Amino acid sequence: MRLLYSLALLALSISQSHATQIALIIDDIGYRHTDQAVLALPSTVTLSVLPHTPLGKELANAGHKKGHEIMLHLPMQALNGKALGLGGLTNTMTEVQIRASVVDAINSVPFAKGANNHMGSLLTQLDDPMLWVMETLKQKHLYFIDSMTTRFTKAGETADQLGVPLLKRQLFLDNDISAKALERQFSLMISQAHTQGNLVAIAHPYPETMRFLKANLQRLKTEGIDLVPASSLLPIGIAHKNGTNNGTNPAVTLR
């Protein structure tokens, strides 16, 4: 009887360890008072906070207190020339400037365990800046999630080479914030997670997105999907090579 009980527990443990998982990251946090709505989401949602923003430290502290995993949303130069804000990294910066800026950005976001790029469709294509960024993240013991804002990104490749724990964004939830588009992407997120076993999705603190998520996140449990902090998808001790874009959610967004 004891043997049967032990085998049952082992089977349950194996089943749970292979549960379908989604890491949902809300980024672009820190500038707007409406960003406080992220604190009403389940604590398993990961919050990625922009550096040096009016509300960044406050929301990082509050999110951590509620149990959210906190990330640094690191601004990087985009092909479209969009303004970066404080802490932005550009191709005109020297190695010393980039390393110092990354450290300052990390220090401005309390409890950050990892980082992902904000925009960066230009900078993530460049070898030297990505080397300097990833070496700094490694020194500070942060993981990296490549937001995949260009298919030509070298950020993940560089992180992998240096042994920085790595994940890649597989789906943007709210490039279009209409109700129809949000539902389409949410359903796609569920189906891709079932197919791949786990999935990294990124959304933003738009009021429309927040209302949709509050109303629909419980559907994941019904689907047998666990919503987990981003770091839960990182394999222990190695970089994570996590899927590729399948064409249904284009990687190139010129962010």
Side-chain angles (χ1 to χ4, degrees):
M1 181 64 70
R2 181 175 295 178
L3 177 60
L4 290 175
Y5 179 71
S6 298
L7 290 173
L9 286 178
L10 177 61
L12 177 61
S13 175
I14 292 172
S15 174
Q16 290 176 338
S17 68
H18 286 81
T20 300
Q21 297 179 318
I22 288 176
L24 176 61
I25 301 164
I26 309 296
D27 61 24
D28 285 4
I29 295 170
Y31 277 110
R32 300 162 295 269
H33 285 284
T34 54
D35 292 355
Q36 295 175 1
V38 300
L39 300 176
L41 296 176
S43 61
T44 46
V45 173
T46 301
L47 308 182
S48 191
V49 179
L50 288 159
H52 313 299
T53 49
L55 298 173
K57 282 190 176 181
E58 175 187 335
L59 291 176
N61 279 310
H64 174 76
K65 187 174 181 179
K66 286 196 63 180
H68 292 276
E69 184 162 296
I70 306 300
M71 292 178 57
L72 164 66
H73 196 36
L74 191 57
M76 298 186 190
Q77 188 176 1
L79 287 165
N80 60 13
K82 188 174 180 180
L84 290 173
L86 292 175
L89 307 178
T90 72
N91 65 344
T92 62
M93 295 171 70
T94 66
E95 176 180 355
V96 171
Q97 289 172 326
I98 284 182
R99 290 182 184 275
S101 185
V102 173
V103 171
D104 286 345
I106 293 170
N107 290 338
S108 80
V109 178
F111 304 107
K113 294 179 65 176
N116 70 320
N117 53 296
H118 170 60
M119 302 191 294
S121 53
L122 188 155
L123 200 75
T124 60
Q125 298 187 48
L126 304 180
D127 290 312
D128 285 343
M130 288 303 97
L131 176 64
W132 304 331
V133 169
M134 298 308 157
E135 285 182 341
T136 307
L137 294 181
K138 184 174 183 179
Q139 290 167 0
K140 294 296 182 178
H141 308 290
L142 269 64
Y143 63 82
F144 181 71
I145 294 180
D146 192 341
S147 298
M148 299 294 292
T149 55
T150 170
R151 70 188 62 177
F152 304 111
T153 175
K154 296 181 179 178
E157 176 185 338
T158 306
D160 204 5
Q161 290 172 350
L162 292 173
V164 176
L166 171 69
L167 293 168
K168 296 180 181 180
R169 187 276 308 168
Q170 292 149 289
L171 182 139
F172 280 121
L173 186 66
D174 56 356
N175 280 341
D176 182 339
I177 57 174
S178 68
K180 183 177 181 180
L182 286 168
E183 174 58 36
R184 181 177 63 248
Q185 288 300 100
F186 194 81
S187 297
L188 179 61
M189 180 177 73
I190 289 172
S191 65
Q192 287 188 352
H194 280 309
T195 299
Q196 300 174 25
N198 59 57
L199 182 137
V200 177
I202 289 178
H204 304 87
Y206 307 136
E208 296 85 351
T209 302
M210 294 298 99
R211 287 193 295 269
F212 182 88
L213 291 175
K214 289 175 191 176
N216 289 279
L217 279 177
Q218 78 278 0
R219 289 163 54 187
L220 298 182
K221 185 175 181 180
T222 304
E223 288 281 344
I225 296 173
D226 292 335
L227 185 62
V228 300
S231 63
S232 295
L233 299 187
L234 292 167
I236 297 173
I238 60 171
H240 192 84
K241 298 176 180 178
N242 194 39
T244 56
N245 191 279
N246 65 1
T248 58
N249 190 51
V252 178
T253 60
L254 297 183
R255 292 170 182 245

Coordinates of all heavy atoms in Angstrom, one line a residue, residues 24-66:
L24 N 3.4 35.7 -18.4 CA 2.8 36.9 -19.0 C 3.6 38.1 -18.4 O 3.5 38.3 -17.2 CB 1.3 37.0 -18.7 CG 0.6 38.3 -19.2 CD1 0.8 38.5 -20.7 CD2 -0.8 38.3 -18.7
I25 N 4.2 38.9 -19.2 CA 5.0 40.1 -18.8 C 4.2 41.4 -19.2 O 3.8 41.5 -20.4 CB 6.4 40.1 -19.4 CG1 7.1 38.9 -19.0 CG2 7.1 41.4 -19.0 CD1 8.3 38.6 -19.9
I26 N 3.9 42.2 -18.2 CA 3.4 43.6 -18.5 C 4.6 44.5 -18.5 O 5.2 44.7 -17.4 CB 2.3 44.0 -17.5 CG1 1.3 42.9 -17.4 CG2 1.7 45.3 -18.0 CD1 0.5 42.6 -18.6
D27 N 4.9 45.2 -19.6 CA 6.0 46.1 -19.6 C 5.5 47.5 -19.9 O 4.3 47.8 -19.9 CB 7.2 45.6 -20.5 CG 6.8 45.4 -21.9 OD1 5.9 46.1 -22.4 OD2 7.6 44.7 -22.6
D28 N 6.5 48.4 -20.1 CA 6.2 49.9 -20.2 C 5.6 50.5 -19.0 O 4.9 51.5 -19.0 CB 5.2 50.1 -21.4 CG 5.9 50.0 -22.8 OD1 7.1 49.6 -22.8 OD2 5.2 50.2 -23.8
I29 N 5.9 49.9 -17.8 CA 5.4 50.4 -16.6 C 6.2 51.6 -16.0 O 7.5 51.5 -16.0 CB 5.3 49.3 -15.5 CG1 4.3 48.2 -16.0 CG2 4.9 49.8 -14.1 CD1 4.3 47.0 -15.2
G30 N 5.6 52.6 -15.5 CA 6.3 53.6 -14.8 C 5.9 55.1 -15.0 O 6.2 55.9 -14.2
Y31 N 5.3 55.4 -16.2 CA 5.0 56.8 -16.5 C 3.6 57.3 -16.1 O 3.4 58.4 -15.7 CB 5.2 57.0 -18.0 CG 6.7 57.3 -18.4 CD1 7.4 56.3 -19.1 CD2 7.3 58.5 -18.0 CE1 8.7 56.6 -19.4 CE2 8.7 58.7 -18.4 CZ 9.4 57.7 -19.1 OH 10.7 57.9 -19.4
R32 N 2.6 56.4 -16.3 CA 1.2 56.8 -16.1 C 0.6 56.4 -14.8 O 0.9 55.2 -14.4 CB 0.4 56.3 -17.3 CG 0.9 56.8 -18.7 CD 0.4 55.9 -19.8 NE 0.9 54.5 -19.7 CZ 2.0 54.1 -20.2 NH1 2.7 54.9 -21.0 NH2 2.4 52.8 -20.1
H33 N -0.2 57.2 -14.2 CA -0.9 56.8 -13.0 C -1.8 55.6 -13.3 O -2.1 54.7 -12.4 CB -1.7 57.9 -12.4 CG -0.9 59.0 -11.8 ND1 -0.3 58.8 -10.5 CD2 -0.5 60.2 -12.2 CE1 0.4 59.8 -10.2 NE2 0.3 60.7 -11.2
T34 N -2.3 55.4 -14.5 CA -3.1 54.3 -14.9 C -2.3 53.0 -14.8 O -2.9 51.9 -14.7 CB -3.7 54.4 -16.3 OG1 -2.7 54.7 -17.2 CG2 -4.8 55.6 -16.3
D35 N -1.0 53.1 -14.8 CA -0.2 51.9 -14.7 C -0.4 51.1 -13.4 O -0.1 49.9 -13.3 CB 1.3 52.2 -14.8 CG 1.7 52.7 -16.2 OD1 0.8 52.7 -17.1 OD2 2.9 53.1 -16.4
Q36 N -0.9 51.8 -12.4 CA -1.2 51.2 -11.1 C -2.2 50.0 -11.2 O -2.3 49.2 -10.3 CB -1.7 52.2 -10.1 CG -0.7 53.3 -9.8 CD -1.2 54.4 -8.9 OE1 -2.4 54.3 -8.5 NE2 -0.4 55.3 -8.5
A37 N -2.9 50.0 -12.3 CA -3.9 48.9 -12.6 C -3.2 47.5 -12.6 O -3.9 46.5 -12.4 CB -4.7 49.2 -13.8
V38 N -1.9 47.5 -12.9 CA -1.2 46.2 -13.0 C -1.2 45.5 -11.6 O -1.1 44.3 -11.5 CB 0.2 46.4 -13.5 CG1 0.2 47.0 -14.9 CG2 1.1 47.2 -12.5
L39 N -1.3 46.3 -10.5 CA -1.3 45.7 -9.2 C -2.6 44.9 -8.9 O -2.6 44.2 -7.9 CB -1.1 46.8 -8.2 CG 0.2 47.6 -8.3 CD1 0.3 48.7 -7.3 CD2 1.4 46.7 -8.2
A40 N -3.6 45.1 -9.7 CA -4.8 44.3 -9.5 C -4.8 43.0 -10.2 O -5.7 42.1 -10.1 CB -6.0 45.1 -10.0
L41 N -3.7 42.7 -11.0 CA -3.6 41.4 -11.7 C -3.0 40.4 -10.7 O -2.4 40.7 -9.7 CB -2.6 41.6 -12.9 CG -3.1 42.5 -14.0 CD1 -2.0 42.7 -15.0 CD2 -4.4 42.1 -14.6
P42 N -3.2 39.1 -11.1 CA -2.6 38.0 -10.2 C -1.2 38.2 -10.0 O -0.4 38.7 -10.9 CB -2.9 36.8 -11.0 CG -4.1 37.1 -11.9 CD -3.9 38.6 -12.2
S43 N -0.7 37.8 -8.8 CA 0.7 38.0 -8.5 C 1.7 37.2 -9.3 O 2.9 37.5 -9.3 CB 1.0 37.7 -7.0 OG 0.7 36.3 -6.7
T44 N 1.2 36.2 -10.1 CA 2.0 35.5 -11.0 C 2.3 36.2 -12.3 O 3.1 35.7 -13.1 CB 1.4 34.1 -11.3 OG1 0.0 34.3 -11.6 CG2 1.5 33.2 -10.1
V45 N 1.7 37.3 -12.5 CA 2.0 38.2 -13.7 C 3.3 38.9 -13.4 O 3.5 39.5 -12.3 CB 0.9 39.2 -14.0 CG1 1.3 40.1 -15.1 CG2 -0.4 38.4 -14.4
T46 N 4.2 38.9 -14.3 CA 5.5 39.6 -14.2 C 5.4 41.0 -14.6 O 4.8 41.3 -15.6 CB 6.6 38.9 -15.0 OG1 6.7 37.5 -14.5 CG2 8.0 39.5 -14.8
L47 N 6.0 42.0 -13.8 CA 5.9 43.4 -14.1 C 7.3 43.9 -14.5 O 8.3 43.8 -13.8 CB 5.5 44.2 -12.9 CG 4.2 43.7 -12.2 CD1 3.8 44.6 -11.0 CD2 3.0 43.6 -13.2
S48 N 7.4 44.5 -15.7 CA 8.6 45.0 -16.2 C 8.6 46.5 -16.2 O 7.8 47.1 -17.0 CB 8.9 44.5 -17.6 OG 10.2 44.8 -18.0
V49 N 9.5 47.2 -15.5 CA 9.4 48.6 -15.1 C 10.5 49.4 -15.8 O 11.6 49.0 -15.8 CB 9.5 48.8 -13.6 CG1 9.4 50.2 -13.2 CG2 8.4 48.0 -12.9
L50 N 10.1 50.5 -16.5 CA 11.0 51.4 -17.1 C 11.9 52.1 -16.1 O 11.4 52.5 -15.0 CB 10.3 52.4 -18.0 CG 9.7 51.8 -19.3 CD1 8.6 52.8 -19.7 CD2 10.7 51.6 -20.3
P51 N 13.2 52.3 -16.4 CA 14.0 53.0 -15.4 C 13.8 54.5 -15.3 O 13.3 55.1 -16.3 CB 15.4 52.7 -15.9 CG 15.2 52.6 -17.4 CD 13.9 51.9 -17.6
H52 N 14.1 55.0 -14.1 CA 14.1 56.5 -14.0 C 12.7 57.1 -14.3 O 12.7 58.3 -14.8 CB 15.2 57.1 -14.8 CG 16.5 56.5 -14.7 ND1 17.2 56.4 -13.5 CD2 17.3 55.8 -15.6 CE1 18.3 55.7 -13.7 NE2 18.4 55.4 -15.0
T53 N 11.6 56.4 -14.0 CA 10.3 57.0 -14.3 C 9.6 57.5 -13.1 O 10.0 57.1 -12.0 CB 9.4 55.9 -15.0 OG1 9.5 54.7 -14.2 CG2 9.9 55.6 -16.4
P54 N 8.7 58.4 -13.2 CA 8.0 59.0 -12.0 C 7.4 58.0 -11.0 O 7.5 58.2 -9.8 CB 6.9 59.9 -12.6 CG 7.4 60.2 -14.0 CD 8.1 59.0 -14.4
L55 N 6.9 56.9 -11.6 CA 6.2 55.9 -10.7 C 6.9 54.5 -10.6 O 6.4 53.6 -10.0 CB 4.8 55.6 -11.2 CG 3.9 56.9 -11.2 CD1 2.5 56.5 -11.9 CD2 3.6 57.3 -9.8
G56 N 8.1 54.5 -11.3 CA 8.8 53.2 -11.4 C 9.1 52.5 -10.1 O 8.8 51.4 -9.8
K57 N 9.8 53.3 -9.2 CA 10.2 52.7 -7.9 C 9.0 52.3 -7.1 O 8.9 51.3 -6.4 CB 11.1 53.7 -7.1 CG 12.5 53.7 -7.6 CD 13.4 54.5 -6.7 CE 14.9 54.4 -7.2 NZ 15.8 55.2 -6.3
E58 N 8.0 53.2 -7.1 CA 6.8 53.0 -6.3 C 6.1 51.7 -6.7 O 5.7 50.9 -5.9 CB 5.9 54.2 -6.4 CG 4.5 54.0 -5.8 CD 3.6 55.1 -6.1 OE1 4.0 56.2 -6.4 OE2 2.3 54.9 -6.0
L59 N 5.9 51.5 -8.0 CA 5.2 50.4 -8.5 C 6.0 49.1 -8.4 O 5.5 48.0 -8.2 CB 4.8 50.6 -10.0 CG 3.7 51.7 -10.2 CD1 3.4 51.9 -11.7 CD2 2.4 51.3 -9.5
A60 N 7.4 49.2 -8.6 CA 8.2 48.0 -8.3 C 8.1 47.6 -6.9 O 8.0 46.4 -6.6 CB 9.6 48.4 -8.7
N61 N 8.2 48.5 -6.0 CA 8.1 48.1 -4.6 C 6.7 47.6 -4.2 O 6.6 46.5 -3.5 CB 8.3 49.4 -3.7 CG 9.8 49.7 -3.5 OD1 10.6 48.8 -3.2 ND2 10.2 50.9 -3.7
A62 N 5.7 48.2 -4.7 CA 4.3 47.7 -4.4 C 4.1 46.3 -5.1 O 3.5 45.5 -4.5 CB 3.3 48.7 -4.9
G63 N 4.6 46.2 -6.3 CA 4.4 44.9 -7.0 C 5.1 43.8 -6.3 O 4.6 42.7 -6.1
H64 N 6.4 44.1 -5.9 CA 7.1 43.1 -5.1 C 6.4 42.7 -3.8 O 6.4 41.5 -3.5 CB 8.5 43.6 -4.8 CG 9.3 42.7 -4.0 ND1 9.9 41.6 -4.4 CD2 9.7 42.8 -2.6 CE1 10.6 41.0 -3.4 NE2 10.4 41.7 -2.3
K65 N 5.9 43.7 -3.1 CA 5.2 43.4 -1.9 C 4.0 42.5 -2.1 O 3.6 41.7 -1.2 CB 4.8 44.7 -1.3 CG 4.2 44.6 0.1 CD 3.9 46.0 0.7 CE 3.4 45.8 2.2 NZ 3.1 47.2 2.8
K66 N 3.3 42.6 -3.3 CA 2.2 41.8 -3.6 C 2.6 40.4 -4.1 O 1.7 39.6 -4.4 CB 1.3 42.5 -4.6 CG 0.5 43.6 -4.1 CD -0.6 44.0 -5.0 CE -1.6 42.8 -5.2 NZ -2.7 43.1 -6.1

